[in-house]
């Protein structure tokens, strides 16, 4: 999708600070970080939100979470703790409609989130 900012990061049209990637998943730094570590983990294929994952995407969902785990290791978040979030839909605060996990760390987080 050419009008999707994250698809344009995947195809290289828009630059991003890449943290790690494999054939199916890409992790890059959030442009407007909400914590000292704020990385986005996306599927390279355009999927609008969590709602649009199919049963056949179960392996991809696992890969995305494994990529979050890799980010946590690379950014040294594992001992102190970190947060993985997928805002789904506008009421939850989703603004970019290409699925992404936020991986946030290196500060204290409150619960429940606002
Ligand atoms: P959400 O509000 O959950 O949809 O999150 C979208 C996230 O994408 C926000 O945290 C934005 O700061 C981030 N974002 C938007 N455009 C870019 C970009 N070009 N590069 C990196 N992060 C971006
Ligand atoms: Zn997209």
């Amino acid at each position: 999708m050419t009008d999707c900012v994250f698809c344009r990061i995947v195809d290289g049209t828009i630059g991003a600070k890449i943290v790690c990637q494999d054939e199916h998943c890409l992790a890059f730094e959030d442009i407007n970080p909400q914590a000292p570590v704020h990385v986005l983990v996306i599927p390279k294929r355009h999927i609008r939100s969590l709602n649009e994952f199919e049963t056949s995407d179960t392996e991809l969902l696992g890969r995305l979470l494994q990529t979050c785990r890799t980010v946590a290791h690379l950014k040294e978040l594992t001992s102190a703790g970190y947060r993985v979030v997928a805002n789904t839909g506008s009421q939850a605060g989703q603004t970019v409609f290409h699925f992404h996990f936020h991986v946030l760390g290196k500060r204290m987080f409150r619960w429940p989130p606002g």
Side-chain angles (χ1 to χ4, degrees), residues 27-96:
F28 55 95
E29 308 278 354
D30 196 291
I31 204 169
N32 182 23
Q34 300 301 310
V37 172
H38 189 172
V39 174
L40 301 175
V41 173
I42 68 168
K44 290 188 171 178
R45 171 160 64 90
H46 183 84
I47 299 175
R48 200 179 138 74
S49 81
L50 191 58
N51 291 329
E52 280 71 36
F53 279 80
E54 311 271 359
T55 306
S56 57
D57 295 320
T58 301
E59 186 181 336
L60 177 59
L61 266 174
R63 285 176 179 273
L64 288 163
L65 275 172
Q66 290 284 15
T67 304
C68 292
R69 201 174 65 88
T70 299
V71 168
H73 279 278
L74 289 172
K75 296 290 188 178
E76 301 182 328
L77 307 178
T78 55
S79 58
Y82 58 99
R83 188 165 284 180
V84 177
V85 177
N87 297 325
T88 305
S90 49
Q91 190 166 301
Q94 186 175 4
T95 57
V96 176

